[in-house]
Amino acid sequence: MDIFRVRGNGPLKGTIAISGAKNAALPIFAATLLTEEPCIIDNVPNLSDVRSMLDILGRLGASVTQESPHRWRIEAKKIGHTAPYELVRKMRASVCLLGPLVARCRRAEVSIPGGCVIGPRPIDLHIKGLRKLGCAVEIENGYVNVDASKLSGGPIFLGGRHGSTVTGTANILMAAVLAPGETRLEGAACEPEIVDLCIMLKKMGAQIEGVGSPELIIQGVAKLSGCEHSVVPDRIEAGTFLAAAAITRGDVTITGIPPRLLGAFLDKCEEAGLPFELTENSIRVLPYEGNLNPIDIITLPYPGFPTDLQAQMSALMVVTPGLSILTERIYPNRFMHVPELQRMGADMAIEGSSAIIKGGARLSGAPVMASDLRASAALVIAALAAEGTTWIQRIYHLDRGYEDFEARLRALGADIERLSDKDLPKEYWESAEA
Ligand code: EPU
């Protein structure tokens, strides 16, 4: 297994281009199943999750061709309706195949993905939405079985205890675009990745009003056509690089991303006193004297502060003197990074669904375990500011969502190497096996 060795190496400097968003690319690939015509998808990040999704599309019968490193052609002339456990278990997001299979095949059998380290990941709202669209849904032997022979539009409220659901909205939207009649979807997720999916569906001939709002009105059409679409830039990748720049007091410009996608994140950076400059399509973080200010964050659905940047922001607040409080409203237990940051010297505690940080710690390198995608990124960020060497294990989590992470950080001056766990110093071997 691969590991990272990171040594604090002073301020990051330079420019970095942001990739296409993983969380937009996955439902967009699922949407290519809605038509028998070819779809060309551009600005696709090269990630293990994306490869898993392409693998599933191929197994369902679609022809999948890579036209260039970030550009794919999918042609789903004839497809099956079953997504089996051995494929779905590799990636939770494959549940977003439900909507397209229901719409295209009027039948779907999709394995239920199961839990995940960041907390329970129920799909009750997806099922509720499908039932409102006239589907008969049963859970049997670990599968969601859907009979959509009576698929038809209707009114649906899709909000849940934690607010809207991103993948649930994608699923219901993709089922509704080919469902006869009108679907009025209230409580829809407004994330830029959902907006991007709507833009693609409209290019395919879908009729959707209210894009970007919590109320989507969809008039079902009989058929959709192929299209060409470029995936929206990854706001979470952008926020991660900005936090890395900030913790090293670096001077880093990220390009290819409109700052409006990072509204709540930049608002908190401003509150923290981090100097930055914006253009229409770039964000530059500047070096600062003294210290940043502590902040108080609550994660919320878009346009609120994204849960997917909570761990990275925690790393920054750990070295920022004063009391910071980061509260999770999306995944109340998403704090797996906390014990690992504590091993590096962070003074923080979990209280209910909040992380309380007594900031200003001097971090020191240690062997640490990555537990999930964003926690891995938080550990790298902390390691960039730590004295000595940090060894990060289980970085396959990070490879799910960040393309060429270490090479791009190295281009900014970071001292980070991908090694094998055999290179881990002997005294740490035991923790590698735990
Ligand atoms: N929820 C329900 N019932 C449902 C669906 C969701 O109660 O049927 C709850 C969840 O338990 C959670 C909240 O609603 O508390 C939001 O979940 P949502 O469905 O929006 O999450 P998701 O679609 O499964 C996507 C991203 C996640 C990101 C969340 C929140 C993808 C592939 N994944 O997950 O990304 O954290 O939205 O923004 O789009 C990541 O990239 O690291 C990641 C975990």
Side-chain angles (χ1 to χ4, degrees):
M1 264 199 286
D2 289 356
I3 60 171
F4 279 153
R5 185 193 62 202
V6 188
R7 291 186 282 227
N9 195 29
L12 299 182
K13 283 195 186 107
T15 299
I16 198 153
I18 294 305
S19 313
K22 163 182 86 78
N23 290 346
L26 298 175
I28 278 172
F29 275 125
T32 63
L33 299 180
L34 289 165
T35 175
E36 50 190 41
E37 294 180 16
C39 294
I40 310 288
I41 312 299
D42 215 341
N43 200 31
V44 177
N46 182 13
L47 303 170
S48 60
D49 268 10
V50 167
R51 287 189 293 275
S52 298
M53 178 56 98
L54 292 166
D55 200 19
I56 301 181
L57 296 186
R59 290 278 290 274
L60 283 166
S63 109
V64 175
T65 321
Q66 185 167 22
E67 296 207 320
S68 60
H70 296 105
R71 185 179 166 93
W72 293 81
R73 179 183 193 276
I74 315 292
E75 187 170 9
K77 271 203 175 113
K78 233 181 134 215
I79 53 164
H81 63 268
T82 305
Y85 182 61
E86 87 241 34
L87 297 177
V88 170
R89 74 181 169 84
K90 287 196 195 155
M91 187 189 53
R92 260 210 105 262
S94 35
V95 76
C96 71
L97 293 162
L98 256 182
L101 293 180
V102 156
R104 176 87 185 272
C105 308
R106 295 298 200 256
R107 245 184 111 179
E109 284 170 29
V110 176
S111 177
I112 300 176
C116 139
V117 71
I118 66 176
R121 310 281 297 266
I123 57 163
D124 56 307
L125 296 170
H126 304 227
I127 294 173
K128 171 181 152 184
L130 289 173
R131 288 193 171 129
K132 292 272 182 192
L133 289 178
C135 299
V137 186
E138 282 186 10
I139 310 282
E140 223 171 356
N141 308 122
Y143 279 75
V144 194
N145 295 334
V146 188
D147 171 353
S149 47
K150 297 194 178 128
L151 185 71
S152 66
I156 304 173
F157 179 78
L158 204 62
R161 276 196 305 160
H162 298 280
S164 51
T165 158
V166 176
T167 311
T169 300
N171 259 333
I172 301 311
L173 184 59
M174 291 189 277
V177 288
L178 286 177
E182 179 179 288
T183 299
R184 191 173 283 264
L185 181 55
E186 281 182 66
C190 304
E191 269 66 8
E193 295 74 24
I194 292 293
V195 171
D196 202 35
L197 174 64
C198 289
I199 293 171
M200 170 180 173
L201 291 170
K202 287 181 81 157
K203 286 181 192 165
M204 296 170 81
Q207 292 191 14
I208 309 169
E209 277 173 45
V211 174
S213 83
E215 187 178 28
L216 297 172
I217 301 163
I218 303 137
Q219 308 292 341
V221 296
K223 227 171 174 301
L224 292 175
S225 56
C227 73
E228 187 166 337
H229 186 75
S230 180
V231 175
V232 70
D234 195 326
R235 62 197 168 101
I236 306 302
E237 185 190 81
T240 302
F241 282 121
L242 292 176
I247 206 166
T248 66
R249 298 167 183 269
D251 184 345
V252 172
T253 303
I254 58 162
T255 59
I257 181 147
R260 66 180 157 74
L261 296 181
L262 281 150
F265 176 83
L266 290 174
D267 186 57
K268 285 296 166 186
C269 289
E270 194 170 9
E271 202 178 308
L274 179 70
F276 57 82
E277 289 171 358
L278 308 178
T279 72
E280 211 175 296
N281 227 15
S282 74
I283 304 167
R284 177 181 178 195
V285 166
L286 297 153
Y288 50 92
E289 299 291 328
N291 289 307
L292 297 178
N293 310 313
I295 48 174
D296 186 351
I297 286 175
I298 299 180
T299 67
L300 289 167
Y302 190 84
F305 191 94
T307 171
D308 293 342
L309 284 171
Q310 179 258 119
Q312 300 89 315
M313 204 56 154
S314 301
L316 180 58
M317 287 303 116
V318 157
V319 300
T320 301
L323 193 70
S324 287
I325 304 178
L326 287 89
T327 301
E328 256 298 335
R329 285 279 162 76
I330 311 291
Y331 299 112
N333 302 316
R334 195 178 199 177
F335 292 112
M336 299 294 286
H337 50 285
V338 170
E340 301 304 306
L341 289 175
Q342 283 169 332
R343 304 194 68 246
M344 298 177 70
D347 187 353
M348 60 198 302
I350 304 166
E351 190 58 52
S353 58
S354 298
I356 317 283
I357 302 174
K358 283 190 205 155
R362 265 187 55 217
L363 297 177
S364 58
V368 289
M369 290 281 178
S371 56
D372 70 88
L373 169 56
R374 308 305 171 187
S376 321
L379 295 179
V380 174
I381 292 170
L384 292 172
E387 271 172 33
T389 305
T390 301
W391 303 86
I392 307 175
Q393 299 167 56
R394 300 190 184 161
I395 56 166
Y396 55 85
H397 290 294
L398 188 127
D399 294 334
R400 287 186 36 228
Y402 293 96
E403 180 175 340
D404 266 342
F405 196 55
E406 71 277 18
R408 290 156 86 203
L409 279 176
R410 248 196 329 268
L412 298 176
D415 182 349
I416 176 169
E417 285 292 337
R418 180 181 292 260
L419 302 170
S420 149
D421 51 7
K422 292 189 190 70
D423 299 312
L424 198 62
K426 280 216 172 52
E427 62 267 34
Y428 300 146
W429 277 15
E430 205 176 314
S431 54
E433 284 158 13

